Amino acid sequence: MTDLTPITALGTAEAPSVAFGPLTVAEDARLGLASLALRRGADVPEPMGLKLPGPGDCVAGAGVGAFWTGPGQWMLEAPGRAEEDFAAEVARNAPGCSVTEQTDGWAAFDIVSDAGAAPVDALLERLVNLPPASLLPGKATRTVLEHLGVFVIRRAGDRLTVLGMRSAAGSLWHALTVAAKRREDAG
Amino acid sequence: MAEPDHRDRGCPVGRDEERWGWPDMRFSGFRLVAEALRGHSGWKPLWRDPAPQPAYDVVIVGGGHGMATAYYLAKTFGQARIAVLDKGWVGGGNIGRNTTIIRSNYLLPGNEPFYELSMTLWEGLEQELNFNAMVSQRGVLNLCHTDGQRDSFRRRGNAMRLAGADAKLLEADEVRAMAPFLNFDNARFPIKGGLLQGRGGTARHDAVAWGYARGADVAGVDIIQNCEVTGFDIDNGRVTGVQTTRGPIRANTVGVAVAGNSGRVMGLAGMRLPIESHVLQAFVTEGLKPAIPGVITYGAGHFYISQSDKGGLVFGGDIDGYNSYAQRGNLPTVEDVVEGGMALMPMIGRARLLRSWGGVMDMSMDGSPIIDATPVEGLYLNAGWCYGGFKATPASGYCFAHLLATGRPHEVAAAYRLDRFARGHVIDERGAGAQPNLH
Amino acid sequence: MLIPHPLLGPRDAQEFTYLGDARLLERPDPAAENAEARFCDYVYLRDNPAGVHRELWFHEHGDRSWLVVTRDTVTHEILGAELAADVKGAGA
Ligand SMILES: Cc1cc2nc3c(=O)[nH]c(=O)nc-3n(C[C@H](O)[C@H](O)[C@H](O)COP(=O)(O)OP(=O)(O)OC[C@H]3O[C@@H](n4cnc5c(N)ncnc54)[C@H](O)[C@@H]3O)c2cc1C
């Protein structure tokens, strides 16, 4: 069989990680993703014990997480499991729902602060045009960032994940790192 | 019965008229020198400001295309007792708000002969009106960025030439020779060539409004400003006059040419139109030395630019995209337009924006205009010009006058029927369907 | 313009795409006798009011909901927003 070498969304062998003062921007090449949508009139399932969040929110459970993407729709996340068939597991745990594998459609970038929430808040002001209330810890939302459609997931005060379309990973990386650099330069 | 001389009412008209065959305000080099010598004390207003009369044969609502209509109606079609009513002032509508581009580079047979007639009228306009409208045939260059786009330009160029217009397909190096400052090697949208209409260009929009107004006034038309039409008098399906903020005015024939207000005005006659009103913005930078040779349009985004004789870069892009009567737009569109400019010619980033403004336009369901009779007898409609009706001003006025005078559409405007949507004969240059904000 | 999304709070109009008059929700019955004439009106004719306008906006860069936004076309003031699914469900 052909010897295939996996690469990250940015085209490198190892996921890059760059520090800008207290903020570190890194690609997470190992995030497994699957979307879940309710059929009309169906009850909301609790896949893998996850209580699916309401509009604008995200939750983290044991080894899996989820965020709301639209009425009756969620994205489920499985850190470290990009190589597995995560969608199949979700489908087994959410009978009657529409589940679609999403891992390969997205590029995920984590932004972590070692100085608390303030640098993340300051970065978000530069990145997206949203009221601060929709970016508090536990919030997740889809919006526009430099003309790119993205999900912004505020996992905690000092942690943020941005998901963007994989084919535009380089543009998104550029946008995030330039903003982080400018925030650093501005002090 | 002798026609009343409307020109004796309102403000006085110079008696030079007999001498020149024109009134006081004929322009010439000699006149300019003479006025310079007497301290410019002899210039008079370009048109009278009469009070509305109780009745006219023809009332035209709207002083943009409407003024051109009145001019040709009186001058070419020999009609008398004509009034143009405008709720604002002459030149205050889109005729004075546009980016002044004139061209006849359309594709479809319903459009191209009409716009080519307009182009030939532009070419003779200043002589016709004895007014310097600064018609400048500096060329309109549409850039292409893909092979598919070049193919479609070739098709369009051929369609133009079949209708008697000029068109030239340029290779990238020919474009480079004309406009070396463009971003030819943009990684996403490299410039592959362009379609040039050398006879296209710009005209000074205000002067066009004023020139037609002066010409119409001289031909006996009453220009009544600050006179808003607030209703139509309709008797047994026939129009008998209009209600206005300056009182009722009777008329046998009423022509409506109110650009972005067509829906609102025709609503007064109980009609719903295949039109939405949208806002388009325009921008001008501070004056710069000559930098941009003609009109250049970006084929990968929506951006068009020219340089006025005063030096300002005049540019625009997409409409804002939602129904609006506000005559002003919002910032996201400003950003979008200037991003288009930066992508096309990065040097524009050094220019400072001086002014921006918005105009409300009729966006029609197929992107093409309407010049037609309506279900109300005697009531005619000229509407749906979208963001491209300035170039149409001469032909629109001429063809609307033809319709008002003869009751029949002019042959080059025969496709601009109101019922073409119901009949399935839309004229959709963009192929966007019944979605006005996409045309 | 800020659109008050019923689920997500205020969102910039840039996140949305615009379709037009909310009467587009009232699709004619194709089996009706005068269906052709009614479809022609439905597809092509608009009230196009100067003033309060109920219109469809799609939250494309958001949760992909269709909203019915009530907006003044003269001032651009946004007076309210509802989920189109609720409006349609209520038979309005
Ligand atoms: C920003 C911008 C840029 C443009 N750029 C170009 C371009 O580069 N090239 C091009 O070809 N076209 C361009 N256009 C389009 C062009 O300007 C219009 O299509 C065209 O001018 C419309 O016709 P008009 O001149 O009759 O409109 P207007 O000049 O607007 O005339 C309509 C008149 O009707 C009057 N009116 C309205 N309601 C009433 C009422 N109830 N009673 C009495 N009077 C009333 C208004 O006051 C107005 O004066 C542009 C438009 C805009 C807004």
Side-chain angles (χ1 to χ4, degrees), chain B residues 62 65 86-87 94-95 98-99 101 229 259 387-391:
Chain B
H65 287 190
D86 199 291
K87 69 171 179 176
N94 289 344
I95 199 170
N98 58 73
T99 42
I101 300 166
V229 169
Y387 47 81
F390 174 64
K391 70 175 91 67

Side-chain angles (χ1 to χ4, degrees), chain B residues 300-316:
Chain B
H302 202 170
F303 180 80
Y304 38 87
I305 188 165
S306 65
Q307 187 167 16
S308 78
D309 291 354
K310 227 162 41 173
L313 306 183
V314 181
F315 60 92

Side-chain angles (χ1 to χ4, degrees), chain B residues 351-367:
Chain B
R352 275 175 299 188
L353 212 56
L354 200 60
R355 294 182 287 132
S356 73
W357 64 91
V360 177
M361 311 148 313
D362 287 351
M363 292 302 296
S364 70
M365 285 287 164
D366 60 358

Side-chain angles (χ1 to χ4, degrees), chain A residues 68-69 129 141-144, chain C residues 11-12 15 61-65:
Chain A
W68 186 90
T69 56
N129 185 11
T141 195
R142 183 183 225 146
T143 186
V144 198
Chain C
R11 289 303 188 107
D12 195 303
E15 292 188 356
H61 282 299
D63 74 344
R64 309 279 165 101
S65 287

Side-chain angles (χ1 to χ4, degrees), chain A residues 40-62:
Chain A
R40 186 183 301 222
D43 290 333
V44 179
E46 288 191 16
M48 291 94 91
L50 264 186
K51 209 165 156 15
L52 294 174
D57 291 342
C58 65
V59 293

Side-chain angles (χ1 to χ4, degrees), chain B residues 150-270:
Chain B
R150 187 195 285 115
D151 288 347
S152 80
F153 278 5
R154 178 172 289 125
R155 179 173 172 225
R156 174 184 300 258
N158 284 331
M160 291 163 63
R161 295 178 70 137
L162 283 173
D166 64 309
K168 193 166 175 231
L169 201 61
L170 301 185
E171 293 301 326
D173 54 344
E174 295 171 276
V175 175
R176 205 184 280 269
M178 280 175 69
F181 49 83
L182 297 175
N183 191 0
F184 284 87
D185 303 316
N186 182 306
R188 273 169 96 177
F189 304 116
I191 295 169
K192 298 278 193 187
L195 183 66
L196 176 71
Q197 183 177 28
R199 286 161 64 238
T202 57
R204 182 175 177 210
H205 49 196
D206 298 316
V208 174
W210 300 334
Y212 274 120
R214 205 258 322 248
D217 178 85
V218 168
V221 173
D222 277 4
I223 298 170
I224 300 166
Q225 304 179 79
N226 300 311
C227 179
E228 178 171 353
V229 169
T230 55
F232 294 95
D233 297 326
I234 296 168
D235 191 9
N236 266 326
R238 186 172 211 310
V239 74
T240 58
V242 292
Q243 297 291 324
T244 80
T245 48
R246 296 180 69 175
I249 299 174
R250 280 180 283 116
N252 303 328
T253 301
V254 176
V256 174
V258 292
N261 284 289
S262 301
R264 177 147 64 167
V265 172
M266 295 312 280
L268 299 171

Side-chain angles (χ1 to χ4, degrees), chain B residues 274-276 362-370 383-386 420-421 433-437 439:
Chain B
I275 283 173
E276 285 177 1
D362 287 351
M363 292 302 296
S364 70
M365 285 287 164
D366 60 358
S368 294
I370 294 158
W385 292 99
C386 302
R420 68 175 182 264
F421 302 93
Q435 186 61 39
N437 61 354
H439 285 290

